[in-house]
Amino acid sequence: RAKASPARGLSFYHAEMDAAERYRRRMKDDLRIALAEGQFHLDCQVQVDLRSGETCGHEMLLRWNHPERGPIPPAEFIPLAEESGLILPIGDWVLREACALAVANPQLGKVAVNLSAVQFSQPDLPRQVEHALASSGLPAERLELEITESMLMQDRSRTLPLLERIKALGVRVAMDDFGTGYSSLGTLRSFPFDKIKLDRSFMAELDTSPQAVGILRAVIGIGRALRIPVLAEGVETQSQLEHLRAEGCDEVQGYLFGRPIPVPGQERAPSEGGTMAA
Ligand code: C2E
Ligand code: MG
Ligand code: MG
Ligand code: MG
């Protein structure tokens, strides 16, 4: 047939795309199994109040230990979970697990949970949050939800009421990764955030670029104007910390204070072989 010839030139290309596509499909199937078989867990990473030096909370980060491929980073599997829609039941599991861990471990303080844009497009989200709080018994003020600006850009007449319904539960909301993507002061001004998390890409530049110090100062000024704390993400070095202190940053999170780790005492026994974490 005449139509067959253009396709022939694409056949090599096709084979490669098939391999990538097969991998993605396989991983999506594996994600479904992972959720059903309990292969996920949450790590916690400490957040520190810079003035008092005390723990103010923990960010809860999703981890997947694939039975054959080992740990898969969230940056790799979350987009697949979003494409397949599985992020909804996974996100609900994350919320419930974070609340349950917080109740069982008062030393965690406030727990911060990341939301996906897909979750944020569900009108049902506030009810799910309410349910996770009620079934765990966690007081709402110990839960913080992290969202990124891009999630709010969609349609303000929808996202603002959604955010307000969540806030009405007494839950806090933090703007994650501030300074990346479509940052605008308008977003900060018109949505009721309780915290700004300055993206870790700024930390890398603090030691080398006076401009980065200026931006840090400006973001801290915005936090002051809005009367909300600014947390610096990805703090790795003492000299970054000194800049943050000098500029009056409120909170810090990063490898310098602690890497993400399983909640102490909650390490899962491996399903086969291995030793029990004592
Ligand atoms: P994020 O919310 O900005 O989380 C902070 C990320 O920075 C984490 O990566 C953390 O391990 C890493 N990090 C913390 N301190 C340092 C540091 O000092 N240096 C460096 N280089 N990195 C640091 P992780 O755990 O790989 O997560 C990546 C992203 O995946 C998160 O970025 C978040 O957007 C997403 N994510 C993680 N857990 C969840 C979840 O439960 N649900 C959803 N929807 N997204 C999640
Ligand atoms: Mg986050
Ligand atoms: Mg972040
Ligand atoms: Mg991020």
Side-chain angles (χ1 to χ4, degrees), residues 2 10 18 28 52 61 67 70-71 73 84 95 104 131 136 143 151 154 189 219-220 222 226 245 260 270:
L10 290 171
D18 282 353
K28 287 179 189 175
S52 68
L61 294 157
S84 64
L95 264 173
H131 215 263
S136 64
L143 179 64
M151 297 185 196
Q154 309 161 0
R189 213 178 51 212
V219 173
I220 290 168
I222 292 168
L226 295 170
R245 273 224 174 86

Side-chain angles (χ1 to χ4, degrees), residues 215-230:
I215 289 171
L216 171 67
R217 188 172 300 160
V219 173
I220 290 168
I222 292 168
R224 296 251 162 84
L226 295 170
R227 299 194 170 76
I228 57 176
V230 173

Side-chain angles (χ1 to χ4, degrees), residues 47 59-61 112-115 146-148 176-177 197 233 253:
Q47 301 177 326
E59 182 171 3
M60 309 305 283
L61 294 157
V113 171
N114 293 282
L115 292 184
E146 297 194 359
I147 64 174
T148 57
D176 202 359
D177 303 342
K197 298 190 75 180
E233 296 191 274
Q253 178 183 343

